[in-house]
Amino acid sequence: MNKIKKIFIMILSVILISSALPLNAVYANELTAEAKANYAIEKALNKTEKLSTRLALGSMVSISTYSELTAALEAKMSNIYILQDINLEEPLQIDYNVSFLADDTKVNIFAASGKRHILITASNVQIQFNNVILDGGYENSVKSGGIEADGVKNITLISPTIQNCYSARKTSAIYSCLGENDEEGFFYIYNGTINNNYGTSIIGIFATDIIIYNSMIENNSTPKTVGSGTLVTGGNELTDTTSIYNSVIRNNSSIYGAGINIADSTLILNKNTIIENNTAKNYGGGIFAEYAIIENYGKINNNTAGQYGGGIALKNSQFIMHDGEICYNTSSKNGGGISIVNNTDNLDNVIINDGIMQGNVSENGSAIGYDYLKNYQEINQPRVIINNGTFCNNGYAFDDEGNLSVICREGGVIYGSDVTVNGGTFEKNVCTVFGGAIYTMNLTMTDGMIQDNGFYEDEDGNISVYTFRGGGLYIYENADITGGLIYSNQAEDGGGITAFGTLSIAAPAYVRYNTAEKSGGGVYFFGQNSIKDVDFSRIKNNTAPNGAQYYI
């Protein structure tokens, strides 16, 4: 290969990484999860870019057959220029840094039937692909393909395109697991495209440091009976981290965690990451987390689960939303946006610091819900903390003809056991029975706005009241409200609040301008026992035929 092409390849190797999205400098002592992830990713990118530059200056060869390809690998050629499609006879065994290149027309490497494309047999290996596609040929009924790095560590894949791979029993596209004696190790994917693969999972990576950067994972599916997620990641403890940065995970299907299935580690989604249009038969359309922590700045939208957690399902896990979106997710039973399956580890399961949750729908808790039957006898009840954020238009959807369909039964936004509201705005949420905005066993409210819930107003100003009791809040056991405003909500009974359990209201909290069609414009009490410590001067300007301010 002539010198000009050699220089071109060197430049291309660097551009493919550095042009994806420049990272601004950050300081390691910044405390936010996203800042720490940015810093770690920038360091990793710089290291990878330097290695790519050295690789581009190495030896080169052009090949057009399988035998020439294997000979080039045996000779440890750094840059292998592939002139035409290659049909493999055996997996390519790679134990050194190598770059596969082709012209802009692209070439395919087809796997041998029932075998991988590549087996990475050593640690500290970087493989780069430029216009080279690993195709498993599944559309042609060939069940094969993918990359496997079992028992090795510190692997980097640059610009891999992996498609049409199949495995009935294993991860189909990428599989990597640390060796038995490895306490730590990384696996990085930059500028990847993982598309139209089929297996028990699609990407299965078990390492202490995982980065998915500027990548697309879409249109993958797992078998109907054993599917465990499209991107399955895990470590040994919560300090192990998977960072997904500037990537899109969409249109995937599975049984659990159609987008991501994470366990025993921490997942960080940056603000430019999108998880959308994924479908799980059971739990976690977007994400299923087990014994994990999720730090979210990204967008988790339009995902679906057959049972729990259209957006996210949490099993003994914690979800912290710093910013971003959880919008238009659906599930049939609870938690259209987020579902808490259980909390035996006594966690603050959901913490919302900012962001928006809009248009989510489920039978109970359209934005945030929990499985009552799995938790009601547990000592450690699921906990939700709202510090800020916007929660709007949850609990209902429109059919194909544009007709309104109210799906949520209880808790237009939250169906909870232990809920704390320190801020945020709950607006225009609806359910049919209890709690237009929030249905909860126990509530502590220090601030925030709960307004215009329990009814729907169309473009012509026509109002339909849907919530039976508690247009804003329905309290089953106990509530202490010492701040915030419960304003302009509507229901048949208890326009602002329905207290089945005990209720305390103190300054500076206000319950104002709420409306009930029947009884208790501001508050509907289930008897004197429901009045714990109420400053009735904080309940004013409400409307109802029976008990405008409150009804006992």
Side-chain angles (χ1 to χ4, degrees):
M1 191 175 294
N2 61 42
K3 185 176 181 181
I4 295 176
K5 182 165 284 188
K6 183 174 181 179
I7 294 172
F8 168 76
I9 294 171
M10 177 192 71
I11 295 171
L12 180 61
S13 299
V14 177
I15 289 175
L16 280 170
I17 301 172
S18 60
S19 68
L21 184 66
L23 292 172
N24 297 322
V26 296
Y27 298 96
N29 61 354
E30 291 188 44
L31 297 179
T32 68
E34 188 176 39
K36 290 180 180 179
N38 288 352
Y39 180 75
I41 291 169
E42 185 173 18
K43 286 179 63 178
L45 279 170
N46 289 337
K47 181 179 179 181
T48 301
E49 184 175 305
K50 290 178 182 178
L51 182 55
S52 293
T53 302
R54 292 197 299 269
L55 188 62
L57 294 173
S59 56
M60 298 187 181
V61 65
S62 297
I63 66 97
S64 58
T65 66
Y66 169 69
S67 60
E68 290 175 349
L69 175 56
T70 56
L73 290 172
E74 289 175 0
K76 297 290 193 292
M77 302 301 291
S78 297
N79 299 280
I80 301 174
Y81 200 94
I82 303 175
L83 301 176
Q84 63 182 21
D85 290 350
I86 301 290
N87 289 286
L88 300 181
E89 297 175 12
E90 295 290 337
L92 302 176
Q93 298 197 33
I94 297 177
D95 60 1
Y96 71 103
N97 301 323
V98 63
S99 176
F100 297 100
L101 306 101
D103 291 329
D104 290 340
T105 53
K106 299 183 180 181
V107 300
N108 296 287
I109 298 178
F110 294 104
S113 179
K115 298 179 180 180
R116 297 287 194 188
H117 287 94
I118 294 173
L119 298 177
I120 300 175
T121 58
S123 297
N124 305 306
V125 169
Q126 177 170 306
I127 304 176
Q128 184 164 330
F129 303 86
N130 297 335
N131 296 321
V132 175
I133 298 170
L134 301 183
D135 194 310
Y138 176 56
E139 291 182 347
N140 297 320
S141 299
V142 178
K143 302 175 181 180
S144 59
I147 297 175
E148 184 170 319
D150 193 11
V152 298
K153 64 180 181 178
N154 303 338
I155 306 301
T156 302
L157 302 179
I158 302 173
S159 303
T161 296
I162 305 175
Q163 64 188 32
N164 302 326
C165 296
Y166 175 97
S167 177
R169 298 181 180 179
K170 295 182 178 180
T171 298
S172 60
I174 299 173
Y175 174 78
S176 179
C177 186
L178 297 177
E180 291 183 3
N181 298 321
D182 292 328
E183 295 183 358
E184 61 181 25
F186 66 75
F187 197 105
Y188 301 156
I189 300 174
Y190 302 116
N191 306 333
T193 300
I194 314 299
N195 177 61
N196 199 38
N197 301 284
Y198 185 88
T200 56
S201 59
I202 307 304
I203 303 173
I205 303 173
F206 303 92
T208 58
D209 179 17
I210 301 168
I211 293 175
I212 310 291
Y213 179 84
N214 202 52
S215 295
M216 179 76 73
I217 303 171
E218 63 179 348
N219 301 322
N220 302 283
S221 61
T222 61
K224 295 182 179 179
T225 57
V226 295
S228 61
T230 298
L231 172 60
V232 179
T233 68
N236 297 315
E237 53 190 31
L238 293 177
T239 55
D240 300 340
T241 301
T242 297
S243 301
I244 303 182
Y245 199 100
N246 297 7
S247 296
V248 178
I249 301 175
R250 68 185 181 194
N251 299 332
N252 304 288
S253 61
S254 184
I255 306 298
Y256 299 94
I260 300 171
N261 189 325
I262 185 166
D264 302 307
S265 57
T266 294
L267 172 66
I268 301 173
L269 307 174
N270 92 310
K271 63 182 179 182
N272 295 317
T273 290
I274 300 172
I275 300 174
E276 65 181 7
N277 298 323
N278 301 287
T279 302
K281 183 177 180 180
N282 292 338
Y283 298 172
I287 303 171
F288 178 75
E290 187 170 6
Y291 298 100
I293 296 173
I294 302 171
E295 305 258 10
N296 182 58
Y297 301 82
K299 298 177 181 179
I300 305 171
N301 297 336
N302 294 296
N303 302 284
T304 302
Q307 296 186 39
Y308 307 110
I312 307 106
L314 305 173
K315 185 176 182 181
N316 292 310
S317 296
Q318 182 180 69
F319 180 88
I320 305 171
M321 185 168 177
H322 301 281
D323 202 351
E325 300 174 4
I326 301 178
C327 300
Y328 303 105
N329 302 283
T330 62
S331 67
S332 65
K333 293 188 176 180
N334 71 64
I338 305 171
S339 176
I340 305 168
V341 179
N342 61 13
N343 186 31
T344 57
D345 283 0
N346 194 27
L347 302 170
D348 294 332
N349 301 104
V350 176
I351 302 173
I352 308 296
N353 294 321
D354 210 341
I356 182 169
M357 299 187 75
Q358 176 177 346
N360 301 287
V361 175
S362 186
E363 181 181 8
N364 296 310
S366 285
I368 303 170
Y370 82 110
D371 190 336
Y372 173 77
L373 293 178
K374 291 183 182 294
N375 288 277
Y376 77 100
Q377 290 182 326
E378 296 290 340
I379 295 174
N380 302 319
Q381 289 293 304
R383 295 199 297 271
V384 175
I385 300 173
I386 309 297
N387 294 318
N388 203 351
T390 300
F391 309 82
C392 60
N393 306 109
N394 297 284
Y396 63 91
F398 295 91
D399 61 25
D400 294 338
E401 297 178 354
N403 299 313
L404 179 67
S405 174
V406 178
I407 300 173
C408 184
R409 184 175 183 273
E410 297 179 342
V413 178
I414 300 174
Y415 178 85
S417 178
D418 189 337
V419 177
T420 299
V421 177
N422 297 318
T425 299
F426 297 74
E427 185 175 17
K428 297 181 180 179
N429 305 285
V430 176
C431 73
T432 57
V433 184
F434 300 144
I438 299 174
Y439 172 102
T440 183
M441 297 290 184
N442 298 286
L443 172 71
T444 299
M445 183 173 179
T446 64
D447 204 350
M449 176 81 74
I450 298 176
Q451 66 179 26
D452 296 325
N453 301 285
F455 66 94
Y456 176 79
E457 183 175 2
D458 65 20
E459 296 179 352
D460 298 324
N462 300 310
I463 293 177
S464 300
V465 177
Y466 285 99
T467 299
F468 174 42
R469 284 181 174 156
L473 303 172
Y474 188 97
I475 310 303
Y476 191 79
E477 290 186 359
N478 180 70
D480 294 306
I481 301 174
T482 58
L485 180 60
I486 300 167
Y487 176 88
S488 190
N489 303 283
Q490 296 189 36
E492 290 186 33
D493 293 324
I497 304 170
T498 290
F500 182 81
T502 58
L503 174 65
S504 297
I505 300 175
Y510 263 118
V511 181
R512 305 185 68 176
Y513 297 104
N514 302 281
T515 301
E517 290 188 331
K518 295 179 180 179
S519 303
V523 182
Y524 184 97
F525 293 99
F526 273 80
Q528 292 288 342
N529 291 336
S530 294
I531 302 172
K532 182 179 177 182
D533 187 9
V534 177
D535 182 348
F536 287 98
S537 69
R538 313 307 297 179
I539 307 172
K540 59 176 59 178
N541 308 114
N542 302 285
T543 303
N546 300 305
Q549 307 311 319
Y550 58 90
Y551 178 89
I552 303 174

